[in-house]
Amino acid sequence: MNDKRPIRAKSGTNLGGASAHNRRIMIDALRVNGALSRADLARATGLTPQTVSNIIEELASDGLVRSQATVRRGRGQPATPYQLVPEGAFAIGLQIDRHVTRTVIVNLVGEVLVKFEAKLPPGGPAEGVLVILDLVRRARAELAARTSDADKRLVGLGVAMPGPFGINTLYDDPWMMTAWQNFPLIDRIAEGTGLEVALQNDAAAAATAERLLGAAHGLDHAICIYFGYGLGAGLILNGELYGGAHANAGEIGMILALIPGDGDDVEPLEHYASMASLCKLLSIDPSEPQLFEMVSDALQKGSPQIEAWIADVAQRLRRAIQALESIFDPQTIILCGGAPRRLIDRLVKEIGPLLPSIADRASRFPEARLQAGLADPWSVALGAAAEPIARTFDPRFSAILKST
């Protein structure tokens, strides 16, 4: 046939794909549980002892795992635990926000080794990308000074920035970084660094950070509400981060909310529930270097205006949480973000009691329906760095499939 239409079909797999998946299963088990023996790994993964031994030998040869001292358990044979080698791989994370850019370098187990930040110039992406590339260069130089062969073990660079991506803007919205999204950013960074580069929204990166080091660690179904300059949600479904058809899944900040006292007029939820709306209320510049400290001080002092804002945000998020629980049936919902700890904890407290939903059941112990997560300006950059690690080493259905 000469029909040029693409053929719609699922990608196949082969023995090589299954072998790569089994390697990822082993690495994931060691990351989640810590050191395990070959017998432990065989029982936990369902793989044969011989398969486990072969994979362990391969991973050790690649410098990804190493043995610990042999231990004796009861009357059985001595067991040799194996652990991940932190310096077995490195990845760079890059956060690009409206006023600032941050970069971190992490090792295989998620430890932050290097971090730098810089203000973005007002000239837009053409000038900003030069600042970004210089920041990445400085971070790589710092890592090279510590570990001689680290650059050879860099598995990629993850970029996180606010979404949504590629939509038609129906209104003049300062929350959206339209100029940056229309700029060939990923191509410029890949060209300037020589690394494989992947883009995700900041909420997805925050969820990756929670899965690596925070409240979502070890969970297969969790929703991470990212409370930053805007508002979004990272969706962890079946143990994998779900991005949607165009990497815009979880853009709950775009949900339309009624404007108080204005009839049926609506505007995005993040215009009310976000750090940007709080900064506007407090007359604080969102690019202020001491933003977290200033917001925390204002919350500690308190005022009728702040209390009214918190009550309004809590009510709006309470409804959003009920909807997310009803749609996705997560193990837990985590409120995290580029916001001070005092604010995250206060909102978690004020959002309760939660509205009735399918998540309201006695058997849900030990996970709470809603809990506080990371409250750190570096969490998005950390999650961005974790993405290349996850893409390279985590069990993913897509890793089994043949490239088409």
Side-chain angles (χ1 to χ4, degrees):
M1 295 178 62
N2 293 323
D3 194 341
K4 299 296 183 181
R5 291 177 299 176
I7 299 173
R8 301 183 65 179
K10 299 295 183 183
S11 185
T13 187
N14 52 31
L15 185 60
S19 176
H21 177 69
N22 288 339
R23 280 172 56 99
R24 289 167 176 256
I25 288 289
M26 300 275 281
I27 291 172
D28 184 62
L30 292 173
R31 178 183 293 123
V32 173
N33 299 283
L36 295 170
S37 69
R38 299 186 189 202
D40 292 332
L41 287 165
R43 284 193 298 270
T45 63
L47 298 173
T48 66
Q50 185 59 53
T51 298
V52 168
S53 294
N54 292 341
I55 294 174
I56 285 292
E57 289 177 9
E58 291 175 8
L59 295 176
S61 177
D62 291 341
L64 297 173
V65 304
R66 62 187 171 209
S67 61
Q68 293 183 337
T70 301
V71 296
R72 182 176 293 278
R73 299 175 180 173
R75 298 181 180 180
Q77 291 291 326
T80 301
Y82 290 85
Q83 67 178 125
L84 293 179
V85 178
E87 60 272 19
F90 303 94
I92 302 175
L94 181 65
Q95 177 191 11
I96 303 172
D97 214 328
R98 285 87 176 169
H99 314 287
V100 67
T101 180
R102 300 183 178 94
T103 188
V104 302
I105 299 182
V106 302
N107 60 22
L108 180 58
V109 297
E111 297 169 333
V112 176
L113 306 177
V114 180
K115 63 180 184 179
F116 289 106
E117 71 175 339
K119 272 194 170 185
L120 287 172
E127 295 182 22
V129 72
L130 301 178
V131 174
I132 289 167
L133 289 174
D134 181 65
L135 205 65
V136 173
R137 180 193 60 77
R138 289 167 52 200
R140 293 176 76 169
E142 177 72 18
L143 180 65
R146 300 185 184 188
T147 308
S148 58
D149 65 341
D151 217 53
K152 297 178 182 178
R153 290 187 173 271
L154 276 173
V155 296
L157 187 153
V159 179
M161 62 183 292
F165 304 125
I167 70 168
N168 296 323
T169 305
L170 302 179
Y171 44 83
D172 183 18
D173 192 344
W175 270 256
M176 297 178 61
M177 297 175 65
T178 306
W180 283 86
Q181 293 174 6
N182 292 333
F183 184 78
L185 179 66
I186 302 306
D187 291 341
R188 288 290 303 275
I189 294 176
E191 179 183 352
T193 62
L195 297 171
E196 182 177 352
V197 181
L199 174 67
Q200 60 184 330
N201 66 42
D202 49 6
T208 303
E210 289 289 347
R211 191 174 175 216
L212 183 68
L213 298 171
H217 185 65
L219 299 182
D220 288 329
H221 309 277
I223 307 297
C224 299
I225 297 178
Y226 177 71
F227 196 95
Y229 185 92
L231 184 71
L235 312 177
I236 300 171
L237 307 176
N238 292 321
E240 296 189 17
L241 198 67
Y242 178 72
H246 305 286
N248 286 327
E251 284 290 349
I252 63 172
M254 300 295 291
I255 295 174
L256 296 179
L258 288 172
I259 300 175
D262 215 3
D264 295 330
D265 288 343
V266 295
E267 60 181 337
L269 174 61
E270 64 184 11
H271 288 195
Y272 300 94
S274 64
M275 280 288 286
S277 67
L278 180 56
C279 288
K280 183 178 180 180
L281 176 71
L282 299 175
S283 299
I284 297 176
D285 184 350
S287 65
E288 170 62 50
Q290 303 300 317
L291 177 63
F292 272 37
E293 291 82 356
M294 296 173 70
V295 170
S296 294
D297 288 344
L299 290 170
Q300 185 173 15
K301 293 175 182 176
S303 72
Q305 292 79 14
I306 290 177
E307 293 303 314
W309 179 86
I310 290 175
D312 181 68
V313 171
Q315 180 186 36
R316 294 176 186 276
L317 291 183
R318 191 179 300 122
R319 295 171 183 165
I321 288 167
Q322 199 275 344
L324 289 170
E325 287 179 330
S326 300
I327 296 169
F328 295 107
D329 188 25
Q331 292 168 273
T332 188
I333 288 184
I334 301 162
L335 182 63
C336 60
R341 167 58 58 196
R342 183 184 295 273
L343 177 58
I344 294 295
D345 288 345
R346 179 70 189 280
L347 285 175
V348 168
K349 178 182 178 181
E350 296 299 326
I351 289 170
L354 296 175
L355 298 173
S357 81
I358 59 172
D360 191 10
R361 59 188 183 277
S363 61
R364 65 171 297 106
F365 182 83
E367 301 300 338
R369 287 176 62 188
L370 174 67
Q371 57 184 302
L374 299 173
D376 189 334
W378 291 90
S379 62
V380 170
L382 173 61
E387 197 283 332
I389 296 286
R391 181 174 4 111
T392 307
F393 299 111
D394 281 5
R396 292 185 177 183
F397 179 68
S398 59
I400 305 176
L401 304 179
K402 297 183 68 174
S403 177
T404 57

